[in-house]
Amino acid sequence: MKKNVVLIVSAFMLTLSLSACNSLGNKAQETNEEKVVEAASNESTAEDNSGGEKATPEEIEEMQRLEKGILLYGQSFKGGDYGATVEHATYTVTQEGKDNPGIISARVTIKNVREDSKSVDLSNIQFSVKNEKSGKFYEGQPLIEDEQKFKQVPSGYSLTFDVKFLMKNPPKNVNHFYLYMDSSIDPFEDTHWQLDGLSESKQ
């Protein structure tokens, strides 16, 4: 009888022992699996951050600017007839009596980009600058030396010239000015150039 009790107790203890070992093994395996999943997730995140696929803040800002049609100095717009670039711009205030008008002078390059070898007439292009804060436009006057060359630019050739914008009552702040071009032959749509670095100088 005692032997039977000992055998039963021993068997029960062995069963408990095996069950506990099995449970510990399962927990260890689950813990290891969780660590593997977590490591894989961290590795994936690290690849996303270091893979170079995400745009930098500067790239995002440039994409947003281009979506709005805003170009900077040296950047070009190409249509069917014209390729246009604003090289740079300056701002001066003249000393003429009480008015002291302001003058924006923009250096512009227009290229004939037609593919049929025909010349283009640049007098069709209208120039203006806009104060984005006030919404006011100022018309521009191209300064040209040879009117014939201005009206007949051969295919593949470009002409660089200044455009003057006179402001009789200039604003104190010229940080929000943009240059627009318009043509009935080859519309520039809403493309415009940001006039950076316009600092007042006396003339």
Side-chain angles (χ1 to χ4, degrees):
M1 181 74 177
K2 286 182 180 179
K3 285 183 180 180
N4 288 339
V5 171
V6 170
L7 281 173
I8 290 170
V9 170
S10 296
F12 181 73
M13 293 296 290
L14 182 62
T15 302
L16 282 178
S17 171
L18 288 173
S19 175
C21 287
N22 193 22
S23 176
L24 285 173
N26 288 341
K27 283 184 181 177
Q29 186 177 357
E30 286 174 6
T31 304
N32 284 339
E33 285 175 359
E34 287 174 3
K35 286 182 179 178
V36 168
V37 170
E38 185 179 353
S41 175
N42 290 340
E43 187 177 335
S44 174
T45 304
E47 284 176 2
D48 286 345
N49 291 337
S50 64
E53 293 179 8
K54 291 187 178 179
T56 64
E58 292 80 10
E59 289 171 337
I60 292 171
E61 184 179 348
E62 183 174 6
M63 284 188 287
Q64 290 173 341
R65 178 174 53 76
L66 291 174
E67 283 175 3
K68 295 175 183 176
I70 302 172
L71 301 179
L72 303 179
Y73 294 140
Q75 293 183 327
S76 300
F77 168 84
K78 182 180 180 295
D81 284 7
Y82 306 116
T85 309
V86 176
E87 310 293 349
H88 59 81
T90 58
Y91 174 60
T92 56
V93 177
T94 60
Q95 301 298 308
E96 296 179 6
K98 297 178 181 179
D99 291 337
N100 294 338
I103 297 175
I104 291 177
S105 178
R107 190 77 169 162
V108 173
T109 298
I110 308 291
K111 184 176 181 178
N112 180 347
V113 295
R114 289 180 67 112
E115 297 179 355
D116 57 7
S117 301
K118 291 183 179 179
S119 62
V120 293
D121 182 358
L122 304 190
S123 65
N124 181 264
I125 303 173
Q126 304 299 312
F127 300 91
S128 60
V129 291
K130 181 183 179 184
N131 181 346
E132 290 291 339
K133 281 212 162 180
S134 68
K136 188 170 183 179
F137 279 93
Y138 301 89
E139 297 301 320
Q141 179 64 44
L143 302 180
I144 52 173
E145 296 178 2
D146 190 329
E147 191 172 341
Q148 186 67 21
K149 285 184 179 178
F150 191 73
K151 289 187 174 183
Q152 291 184 346
V153 179
S155 179
Y157 284 79
S158 61
L159 204 61
T160 301
F161 52 94
D162 290 327
V163 183
K164 299 281 186 184
F165 304 89
L166 180 66
M167 298 180 288
K168 290 185 178 178
N169 297 301
K172 293 181 180 179
N173 189 333
V174 289
N175 292 332
H176 304 282
F177 275 73
Y178 294 82
L179 189 151
Y180 287 78
M181 300 183 200
D182 189 35
S183 167
S184 59
I185 296 172
D186 185 16
F188 285 79
E189 298 173 348
D190 195 35
T191 301
H192 49 293
W193 283 261
Q194 185 174 328
L195 301 182
D196 275 345
L198 291 180
S199 57
E200 180 183 326
S201 62
K202 302 288 184 183
Q203 197 178 51

